[in-house]
Amino acid sequence: MQSDKEYKATKRIMLGEATMNPDFINLANFIDQTFGVKPINIIYDMMDDGKRPRLNICFEFEHEEQIFKKKDRLGNFDKEKQKAIADRFREALREKKKYKVDNIWVCYSAFEPVAKIEANEKVSKDKIMQLKKELNEKDLWEISKCFSQVTFFLYTDLQVKQFEHSDVRKLWADKYFDLLGAYNEFGYFKREEFNINLDSKENFDHNYEGNWFYYYR
């Protein structure tokens, strides 16, 4: 999430305010040369109450992270790739006493999805209320955002079907995208790919007991 120290450290690199730990540059180059994708950051820390070292390989895009997962529905890490990275880390940094190199856990993350969440979360409730007022649509019940998505709620399921392929939906997406613009600092939200979700109060009340926690969990 955007509050995680790993994300904040990587964001500073993306903004040009910091650089990757020099100890890990050779490892980043190895990953690039071996697998065809270059990390933007590598973070070393300890897990299991300080008993086991962990190496978090941070890529910019989610499709780069996916290269290191098995192509199964569980999305488990590819153990051979984990081992290759761990072996290279061990070989390069065994002499540096500040790193524990044995039994290291290699994991991965992507910057773009979290940056999009952060941008969307910065759109304030006041801005959303103002947008709802500006749209002045009697069939629009609520505008609700969560993570990098936004849902426009109509009152009934029938209204959802009526609005689904309408020009009004495109207008609403345009207007919400304009709100995102002030926070889209890395340009990850692109208008041609951006869309809003449609749902109904009817569905929210009947299937989620009118509870936002149930709806978004």
Side-chain angles (χ1 to χ4, degrees), residues 139 152-164 198-208 215:
D139 294 332
F152 283 58
F153 284 84
L154 300 152
Y155 282 93
T156 68
D157 291 343
L158 178 60
Q159 289 169 338
V160 171
K161 292 180 181 179
Q162 292 170 340
F163 278 81
E164 192 167 9
L198 295 182
D199 209 334
S200 71
K201 187 176 187 300
E202 180 180 350
N203 178 52
F204 180 68
D205 289 340
H206 289 177
N207 295 312
Y208 300 94
Y215 187 83

Side-chain angles (χ1 to χ4, degrees), residues 137-190:
E137 173 56 63
K138 62 180 178 59
D139 294 332
L140 181 61
W141 171 60
E142 187 63 272
I143 301 173
S144 176
K145 61 185 174 67
C146 185
F147 298 113
S148 60
Q149 302 287 316
V150 61
T151 303
F152 283 58
F153 284 84
L154 300 152
Y155 282 93
T156 68
D157 291 343
L158 178 60
Q159 289 169 338
V160 171
K161 292 180 181 179
Q162 292 170 340
F163 278 81
E164 192 167 9
H165 301 292
S166 70
D167 291 339
V168 174
R169 181 179 186 176
K170 180 181 181 304
L171 171 66
W172 290 355
D174 286 341
K175 293 290 187 180
Y176 193 83
F177 187 81
D178 288 343
L179 293 185
L180 279 172
Y183 313 109
N184 190 23
E185 57 188 321
F186 298 101
Y188 292 142
F189 282 108
K190 302 185 186 306

